[in-house]
Amino acid sequence: MPMDKIAVLDFGGQYAHLIANRVRRLGVYSEIFDGETTAAKLQGYKGIIFSGGPQSVYEHDSVKCDPKILELGVPILGICYGHQLLAYIQGAKVEPAHLREFGLTEMKVVKAEGVFKGLDAVETVWMSHGDSVKELPPGYEVIGESPGENAAIANFSKNFYGFQFHVEVVHTVHGMKILKNFLDLCGVEYTWKIDDYIAQEIEAIRSKVGDKKVFLMVSGGVDSTVAFALLEKALGPERVYGLFVDTGYLRLNEREQVKKALTDLGFSNLHIRDESKRYFESLRDKYDPEAKRKIIGDLFLEVQKDVADELKLNPDEWLLGQGTIYPDTIETGGTRHAAKIKTHHNRVPQIEELMKAGRIIEPLAQLYKDEVRQVGEKLGLPTAMVWRHPFPGPGLAVRCLCAHGEKYPDHHTTVEKKIDQILKPHGLTCKILPIQSVGVQGDFRTYKHPLALMGAVEACDFALLDQLATTLINQFKEINRVIVTVTPNKMETFRVQNKYLTPDRIELLQKADAKVSEFLVENKLQREIWQFPTVLLPLSVNRESGESVVLRPVCSEEAMTASFYRMDQKLLKGLSAAIFEIPGITAVFYDVTNKPPGTIEWE
Ligand code: XMP
């Protein structure tokens, strides 16, 4: 049956699939193409969207599109890099922006018509860019203005639009409305449904697996459980085998809980292995986050091979199943133009080899978390399972930061003084911490320092902290996160000790993490807060021994962007006091960084 489709051109980064996800959510079929796809292949699509991407259009080796696409006679929307590219190929000047914008910004709507129909005079939009369109191409006018340059431009006669902001992320408050306006301009029919996806995926599983069986790595989390349910529906229970590995980095009592949950769901072919000793031993002296991730990912495969050997499974009769979802691939740099943010455990090089050999099956690999949950609900999984918070495959190993020597950025005291000047009117002071963690800015991985704010943060004014965190990180390249102290001790000096992934540290983190889990249940916050990592830093304050905890609750929809959760003062006080009481904890911090520039996890 012919159906209306939107083509999304992928220029790298995380965005093309997110745009496709949003288009589907609005009920329209979408298909992703490489950015260099020829115009001839895009004939018949009702509209074309150019995604964002990490490059600069003026660099000679950056990805360019086929200019003939402009002659297809259908509406085109360019977003971020796509907007710059659309303008550039029509003669505009694109240069580094006088103001790089990462995060929320206000856009004045100059013309509330066409794609901007029904918008407010001022809209909150979300940006992540270092370049901007300086001079417009002929036939264009500005339809949205932000403190940076040319937030939105349009050529109404051709139906071409360019947005510097990301319409597809949830933080652009009326993003879906704007996208719907664009789809209306394309004249599409709204016919896409999740049930159709499930039916197609079941067919795809049957054809890929043939008469083989699937050995599925399960974690008890949403993704692998939904993958399991879908595989069983397609193949029947006797052809799906589950392996759950206890790495030692699980949450308190998690092995028992997962076993019960999966058994209750009727997962009969479940094999559980305690491999914690092997993991602790292999990671004994590791501190670099990527090194940790690679070893953990490789070990998963080794364990899987051992189990397969023990069970005498013939490799020719089995495929390895994983609950990989789209963000896992994209953050590993797994598409052609994407930069690596981090190596997800299910995307280590060995797995990529197996994928090339056609030995891996991942029925959810094109979906985002919100869609995985929709599939889970449609398949009748229990609500508590479908709405479990995401938890990374490498578990608490990610959230347990390790250190090998103290590290400060160059001239850190000068930078601190400059920041203190900005903070002074608000009664705050700062310290750059001698440790680094992963972040994401302008689609690239960063590995920078957190900035700790101290002073009158007792009465956390989250609106102020949000604004300060955004401005400071945009302004000072040394930092990628801002945290505030939430424990009553006055912090004067900080020390980072050499610490690695050891059982005693994981145990300490498990205790703090368990308090957070209890807190979420007691206060019924599991839905309002999308994910709540509890992080252990090998950081002691005021010459005491012990370590620090960072609380990182976030709101998100699909993990590609997130904003820090603004917790009620009283609840925050209670929670931080409970964690501060744990022997071995010397300080508790609250993370007020959005994603980007921070990531959700700390590592
Ligand atoms: P970040 O920290 O990049 O995380 O903002 C985005 C989402 O991905 C989860 N995450 C993982 N999930 N394997 C997974 O299955 C992994 O290796 C992994 N690393 C991060 C993270 O918890 C968040 O929901």
Side-chain angles (χ1 to χ4, degrees):
M1 179 189 69
M3 53 213 160
D4 290 350
K5 275 192 190 172
I6 296 292
V8 181
L9 291 203
D10 181 4
F11 291 101
Q14 44 176 288
Y15 300 109
H17 277 73
L18 193 52
I19 296 165
N21 162 287
R22 295 301 194 246
V23 171
R24 287 197 293 268
R25 262 212 220 180
L26 287 165
V28 176
Y29 281 83
S30 56
E31 210 171 315
I32 296 168
F33 292 88
D34 186 89
E36 288 170 341
T37 303
T38 59
K41 288 211 176 115
L42 297 172
Q43 283 207 358
Y45 288 81
K46 298 284 255 186
I48 297 172
I49 303 181
F50 292 5
S51 83
Q55 296 175 311
S56 289
V57 289
Y58 46 79
E59 282 163 2
H60 76 279
D61 57 350
S62 59
V63 204
K64 305 286 191 314
C65 64
D66 176 359
K68 290 213 176 70
I69 290 174
L70 305 185
E71 293 157 24
L72 289 171
V74 295
I76 299 178
L77 169 61
I79 299 170
C80 195
Y81 179 90
H83 149 69
Q84 294 160 9
L85 181 65
L86 184 62
Y88 186 77
I89 58 172
Q90 294 176 88
K93 215 165 161 190
V94 177
E95 286 176 0
H98 71 87
L99 180 72
R100 301 177 325 140
E101 293 167 297
F102 299 108
L104 292 180
T105 190
E106 305 269 274
M107 177 181 73
K108 194 170 133 217
V109 175
V110 178
K111 237 179 187 174
E113 53 187 78
V115 271
F116 280 179
K117 198 170 83 187
L119 293 194
D120 298 335
V122 176
E123 287 285 339
T124 302
V125 297
W126 187 92
M127 303 225 189
S128 181
H129 72 116
D131 290 339
S132 66
V133 174
K134 299 264 170 180
E135 281 166 22
L136 305 197
Y140 278 79
E141 58 189 286
V142 174
I143 56 169
E145 288 170 353
S146 76
E149 280 134 305
N150 299 326
I153 62 174
N155 180 331
F156 287 106
S157 68
K158 291 195 163 153
N159 247 337
F160 292 170
Y161 306 90
F163 301 158
Q164 186 53 71
F165 63 92
H166 286 270
V167 69
E168 70 278 20
V169 307
V170 63
H171 309 288
T172 292
V173 174
H174 288 132
M176 288 299 261
K177 189 176 199 169
I178 300 170
L179 198 55
K180 169 85 167 50
N181 283 340
F182 177 73
L183 296 179
D184 286 345
L185 289 169
C186 297
V188 284
E189 274 184 45
Y190 294 82
T191 48
W192 189 88
K193 292 195 299 297
I194 194 89
D195 304 77
D196 297 341
Y197 173 84
I198 294 175
Q200 285 161 11
E201 201 47 46
I202 285 176
E203 276 316 301
I205 292 171
R206 286 181 185 148
S207 107
K208 169 142 195 182
V209 178
D211 55 6
K212 293 184 180 153
K213 300 174 200 159
V214 178
F215 194 158
L216 180 71
M217 303 292 278
V218 291
S219 67
V222 188
D223 306 338
S224 58
T225 309
V226 173
F228 152 68
L230 199 55
L231 285 165
E232 275 214 339
K233 198 168 162 85
L235 307 171
E238 59 292 336
R239 290 173 64 199
V240 187
Y241 195 100
L243 173 63
F244 175 77
V245 181
D246 182 347
T247 55
Y249 312 133
L250 300 177
R251 301 178 130 160
L252 203 62
N253 306 325
E254 194 172 11
R255 182 169 14 139
E256 294 70 30
Q257 286 164 7
V258 168
K259 186 176 172 188
K260 181 170 183 322
L262 292 178
T263 316
D264 288 353
L265 278 176
F267 205 151
S268 45
N269 289 331
L270 182 65
H271 201 90
I272 296 183
R273 288 278 288 227
D274 178 2
E275 294 285 343
S276 47
K277 277 206 183 91
R278 188 165 171 183
Y279 276 82
F280 279 121
E281 184 52 32
S282 307
L283 286 137
R284 195 170 24 96
D285 52 356
K286 299 289 176 282
Y287 53 91
D288 172 72
E290 273 298 288
K292 282 159 61 181
R293 280 181 170 273
K294 287 217 177 79
I295 295 172
I296 292 170
D298 286 347
L299 274 180
F300 271 119
L301 267 186
E302 272 180 35
V303 174
Q304 180 263 335
K305 277 185 206 143
D306 288 355
V307 175
D309 286 348
E310 277 167 31
L311 296 171
K312 300 195 175 29
L313 307 182
N314 176 354
D316 296 334
E317 291 171 9
W318 290 81
L319 294 182
L320 178 63
Q322 302 197 117
T324 310
I325 63 170
Y326 192 70
D328 303 346
T329 312
I330 192 71
E331 294 199 334
T332 309
T335 63
R336 201 169 147 212
H337 311 297
K340 177 182 285 190
I341 312 297
K342 56 181 63 168
T343 308
H344 280 237
H345 71 288
N346 40 21
R347 277 291 173 272
V348 291
Q350 277 198 65
I351 292 273
E352 288 178 339
E353 287 303 308
L354 289 171
M355 287 171 78
K356 276 188 213 139
R359 306 190 54 120
I360 300 267
I361 180 150
E362 299 182 321
L364 308 175
Q366 296 304 316
L367 302 188
Y368 281 84
K369 194 68 109 198
D370 58 315
E371 293 172 307
V372 174
R373 286 186 165 139
Q374 250 181 306
V375 173
E377 277 179 343
K378 283 273 171 194
L379 293 176
L381 295 181
T383 308
M385 170 60 82
V386 170
W387 287 95
R388 271 194 84 176
H389 279 187
F391 188 62
L396 295 178
V398 167
R399 299 173 181 175
C400 182
L401 268 75
C402 304
H404 187 74
E406 288 199 330
K407 244 199 175 137
Y408 280 105
D410 292 342
H411 316 294
H412 76 276
T413 45
T414 319
V415 179
E416 280 172 358
K417 277 189 196 131
K418 281 189 198 161
I419 299 179
D420 274 339
Q421 285 305 314
I422 299 171
L423 295 173
K424 210 169 165 190
H426 309 293
L428 299 170
T429 58
C430 76
K431 283 270 191 242
I432 295 180
L433 300 181
I435 195 165
Q436 289 165 289
S437 77
V438 176
V440 57
Q441 268 171 290
D443 300 331
F444 283 103
R445 172 190 176 91
T446 62
Y447 194 49
K448 296 184 185 174
H449 299 264
L451 180 80
L453 300 188
M454 293 156 299
V457 278
E458 273 283 273
C460 280
D461 176 347
F462 284 128
L464 171 70
L465 291 171
D466 193 0
Q467 183 235 319
L468 280 175
T470 305
T471 334
L472 293 174
I473 297 170
N474 282 348
Q475 207 172 329
F476 295 94
K477 62 178 188 335
E478 292 79 5
I479 56 171
N480 62 359
R481 290 179 188 274
V482 174
I483 56 181
V484 294
T485 56
V486 286
T487 30
N489 48 345
K490 195 158 182 274
M491 298 186 192
E492 274 148 7
T493 54
F494 293 97
R495 241 188 55 220
V496 161
Q497 303 137 39
N498 286 357
K499 298 236 172 182
Y500 310 93
L501 268 181
T502 46
D504 57 321
R505 295 191 73 218
I506 291 291
E507 224 174 273
L508 186 58
L509 179 52
Q510 279 176 336
K511 283 184 193 156
D513 178 70
K515 297 263 182 214
V516 168
S517 300
E518 277 165 31
F519 166 87
L520 283 171
V521 175
E522 267 167 28
N523 295 289
K524 299 192 175 59
L525 286 171
Q526 298 108 308
R527 285 277 186 116
E528 201 172 316
I529 294 176
W530 194 82
Q531 194 177 4
F532 196 156
T534 313
V535 183
L536 188 69
L537 303 184
L539 179 84
S540 58
V541 299
N542 304 346
R543 293 179 218 296
E544 288 172 39
S545 60
E547 307 207 31
S548 302
V549 163
V550 181
L551 302 173
R552 175 64 170 145
V554 295
C555 300
S556 181
E557 275 196 27
E558 66 325 83
M560 302 314 289
T561 60
S563 37
F564 75 85
Y565 177 70
R566 299 175 180 210
M567 193 178 286
D568 170 83
Q569 291 298 320
K570 235 171 92 195
L571 293 184
L572 176 54
K573 249 193 175 149
L575 177 62
S576 55
I579 292 176
F580 195 48
E581 271 173 15
I582 301 172
I585 301 297
T586 61
V588 183
F589 296 91
Y590 195 81
D591 190 343
V592 292
T593 322
N594 300 322
K595 174 184 179 178
T599 43
I600 293 176
E601 303 288 347
W602 277 60
E603 55 195 273

